[in-house]
Amino acid sequence: MRICKVIGHVWATKKQDSLNGQKLMVVRETETASEENQVFVAADMVGAGVGEEVLVVTGSTARRAAGNESIPVDSAIVGIIDSMEVMKEKKNRK
Amino acid sequence: MRICKVIGHVWATKKQDSLNGQKLMVVRETETASEENQVFVAADMVGAGVGEEVLVVTGSTARRAAGNESIPVDSAIVGIIDSMEVMKEKKNRK
Amino acid sequence: MRICKVIGHVWATKKQDSLNGQKLMVVRETETASEENQVFVAADMVGAGVGEEVLVVTGSTARRAAGNESIPVDSAIVGIIDSMEVMKEKKNRK
Amino acid sequence: MRICKVIGHVWATKKQDSLNGQKLMVVRETETASEENQVFVAADMVGAGVGEEVLVVTGSTARRAAGNESIPVDSAIVGIIDSMEVMKEKKNRK
Amino acid sequence: MRICKVIGHVWATKKQDSLNGQKLMVVRETETASEENQVFVAADMVGAGVGEEVLVVTGSTARRAAGNESIPVDSAIVGIIDSMEVMKEKKNRK
């Protein structure tokens, strides 16, 4: 799963019927080391709010998360992160 | 889903038969922070026009969006964006 | 689909039996803004020639294009581009 | 598979029910040449600990690793690396 | 398929049972224009040796190559490259 922050909402009136009822949120991947954190749209499955850190699944797994293979989503929020504990690493050390 | 802008059309006379009838549009991903926004081709499912911002699904989800598993598309436009509301963030703040 | 140019051929005598008969071509993605256009190998489904611009599908969709789920291809050429019409955009304008 | 190092844990109380019982670990891809090693979350299938180098599968294969297609994971730790033997290469030599 | 060079072996005693018997090799993608060629692990299906250039499939296609959907591999070597013939291109010419 990708570690993302929910940063907003998106609205689309004209869309595939099977997307009706899906809550579409704008998320930004936070844990890449680069400045090029990617912003994309994920369907919310867990009642996430703007500002929260979440776990996002992509690809065919997102359709499984949506519980219906015919819903055309390829990204889904499946958990809200309470806490993360990450070991300290020296830069460039493997 | 990726947030893209429709920037054009592409025509291919010689193609797999199962692609007949698909409207193929050139889209550019707009919401990556880098300059390297990616340009690719997506099949339009919602009547999108050039200049519009759209939601694009990729991978096996695109075939679901096309409604027929045998259509060889791996990117599909599934919604036209009306509006987006994104929280303000300070740069480099997580 | 990715927009690619066919730049060559690749031969592999020792390969999985199910790849026999597949015409494997070297393609380069042309429409990314970066210098890091990716070169990879795609199975040709439409009789493409070196120098032509083509539409390439990847992932599980490539197996659908090959018409046989057991053929181990993850990239396939599904169309030859006749023409592309792309709107003019100012740099950095969304 | 990607070569990753386990660098921590992540907790999410509010999550999809089917994720209950999954041990979610934070991993960092170690073997890309760039500085932009990616950090993401993978479900642990083999009892991996923080600091260990592991093999991670992604995409639909992660669900197979989880042994249940309905578990919404798209990354899974499937092995703990004992050792790696890599040939010496001159930089920029192909 | 990606064009890779086999650069080594990896051993993992503690792994998912279904990985037993798979020969896991370290490969490096050679044909990206960037310096950031990616190093990852692929299951060998064709008897490839260190130093050889190979064709690697990824994603669900790797499981098809392995001939058993339940084997948790997402990258597989499916051919050994004998030769490649690539047209000369001027830099930055499309």
Side-chain angles (χ1 to χ4, degrees):
Chain A
M1 293 93 149
R2 304 194 195 183
I3 302 164
C4 295
K5 187 176 192 170
V6 180
I7 60 168
H9 293 271
V10 64
W11 289 272
T13 311
K14 209 170 175 180
K15 58 177 177 289
Q16 287 208 305
D17 290 346
S18 45
L19 279 177
N20 283 330
Q22 296 294 324
K23 184 174 144 212
L24 302 179
M25 308 200 85
V26 185
V27 300
R28 183 173 52 77
E29 198 169 0
T30 57
E31 292 300 322
T32 51
S34 83
E35 287 178 43
E36 301 175 25
N37 294 327
Q38 209 183 351
V39 171
F40 57 101
V41 171
D44 177 31
M45 302 296 149
V46 290
V50 172
E52 286 186 305
E53 282 209 300
V54 293
L55 293 171
V56 173
V57 292
T58 58
S60 56
T61 301
R63 296 201 309 272
R64 301 297 166 113
N68 185 331
E69 277 289 308
S70 67
I71 297 176
V73 294
D74 59 4
S75 310
I77 300 172
V78 295
I80 300 173
I81 295 175
D82 295 321
S83 61
M84 246 193 325
E85 191 180 283
V86 173
M87 65 185 281
K88 282 199 170 62
E89 293 181 292
K90 284 179 198 149
K91 270 275 177 188
N92 299 322
R93 185 193 148 205
K94 283 184 189 174
Chain B
M1 292 93 147
R2 305 194 195 183
I3 302 164
C4 295
K5 187 176 190 171
V6 180
I7 60 168
H9 293 271
V10 64
W11 289 272
T13 311
K14 208 170 175 180
K15 59 177 176 288
Q16 287 209 306
D17 290 347
S18 43
L19 278 178
N20 283 330
Q22 296 294 323
K23 184 174 144 212
L24 301 179
M25 308 200 85
V26 185
V27 299
R28 183 174 52 77
E29 198 169 359
T30 56
E31 292 300 321
T32 51
S34 82
E35 289 178 40
E36 302 174 24
N37 294 327
Q38 209 184 349
V39 171
F40 56 101
V41 171
D44 177 30
M45 303 295 149
V46 291
V50 172
E52 286 186 305
E53 282 209 299
V54 293
L55 293 171
V56 173
V57 292
T58 58
S60 56
T61 301
R63 294 200 310 273
R64 300 298 165 114
N68 184 332
E69 276 289 309
S70 66
I71 297 176
V73 295
D74 59 4
S75 310
I77 300 172
V78 296
I80 299 174
I81 296 175
D82 296 322
S83 61
M84 245 193 326
E85 190 180 285
V86 172
M87 65 185 280
K88 281 199 172 61
E89 294 181 290
K90 284 178 198 150
K91 269 276 177 189
N92 300 321
R93 185 191 147 207
K94 283 185 189 173
Chain C
M1 292 91 147
R2 304 194 196 182
I3 302 164
C4 295
K5 187 177 191 170
V6 180
I7 60 168
H9 293 271
V10 64
W11 289 272
T13 311
K14 208 169 175 182
K15 59 178 176 288
Q16 288 209 305
D17 290 346
S18 44
L19 278 177
N20 283 330
Q22 296 294 323
K23 184 173 144 213
L24 302 178
M25 308 200 84
V26 184
V27 299
R28 183 173 53 77
E29 198 169 359
T30 57
E31 292 301 321
T32 51
S34 83
E35 290 179 39
E36 303 174 24
N37 294 328
Q38 209 184 348
V39 172
F40 57 101
V41 172
D44 177 30
M45 303 296 149
V46 290
V50 172
E52 287 185 305
E53 282 209 300
V54 293
L55 293 172
V56 174
V57 291
T58 59
S60 56
T61 301
R63 293 200 311 273
R64 301 298 165 114
N68 184 332
E69 276 289 309
S70 67
I71 297 176
V73 295
D74 60 2
S75 310
I77 300 172
V78 296
I80 299 174
I81 296 175
D82 295 322
S83 62
M84 243 191 330
E85 190 180 285
V86 172
M87 66 186 278
K88 282 200 172 58
E89 293 181 292
K90 285 178 199 151
K91 269 275 177 190
N92 299 321
R93 184 191 148 207
K94 283 184 192 175
Chain D
M1 293 93 147
R2 304 194 196 184
I3 301 164
C4 295
K5 188 177 189 169
V6 180
I7 60 168
H9 293 271
V10 64
W11 289 273
T13 311
K14 208 170 177 181
K15 58 177 175 291
Q16 286 209 306
D17 289 347
S18 45
L19 279 177
N20 283 330
Q22 296 294 324
K23 185 174 144 213
L24 301 179
M25 308 199 85
V26 185
V27 299
R28 182 173 53 77
E29 199 169 0
T30 57
E31 292 301 321
T32 50
S34 83
E35 290 178 40
E36 300 174 27
N37 294 327
Q38 208 184 351
V39 171
F40 57 101
V41 171
D44 177 31
M45 302 296 149
V46 291
V50 171
E52 287 185 305
E53 283 208 299
V54 294
L55 293 171
V56 173
V57 292
T58 59
S60 56
T61 301
R63 294 201 310 273
R64 301 297 166 114
N68 185 331
E69 277 289 308
S70 66
I71 297 177
V73 295
D74 58 4
S75 310
I77 300 171
V78 296
I80 300 174
I81 295 175
D82 296 321
S83 62
M84 244 192 326
E85 192 180 282
V86 173
M87 66 185 281
K88 282 200 171 59
E89 293 180 291
K90 284 179 200 150
K91 271 275 178 190
N92 299 322
R93 184 192 148 205
K94 283 184 192 174
Chain E
M1 293 91 147
R2 303 194 196 183
I3 301 163
C4 295
K5 186 176 190 170
V6 180
I7 60 168
H9 293 271
V10 65
W11 290 274
T13 312
K14 209 170 175 180
K15 59 178 176 288
Q16 287 209 307
D17 290 346
S18 45
L19 279 177
N20 283 330
Q22 296 294 323
K23 185 174 144 212
L24 301 179
M25 308 199 85
V26 184
V27 299
R28 183 174 53 78
E29 199 169 0
T30 57
E31 293 300 321
T32 51
S34 82
E35 290 179 40
E36 302 174 25
N37 294 327
Q38 208 184 351
V39 172
F40 58 101
V41 172
D44 177 31
M45 302 296 149
V46 290
V50 171
E52 286 186 305
E53 283 210 299
V54 294
L55 293 172
V56 173
V57 292
T58 59
S60 57
T61 301
R63 294 200 311 273
R64 301 296 166 115
N68 184 332
E69 276 289 308
S70 67
I71 297 177
V73 295
D74 59 3
S75 309
I77 300 172
V78 296
I80 300 175
I81 295 176
D82 295 322
S83 62
M84 244 191 328
E85 191 179 285
V86 172
M87 65 186 278
K88 282 201 172 57
E89 292 181 292
K90 284 180 199 149
K91 270 275 177 190
N92 299 320
R93 183 191 148 206
K94 283 183 193 174

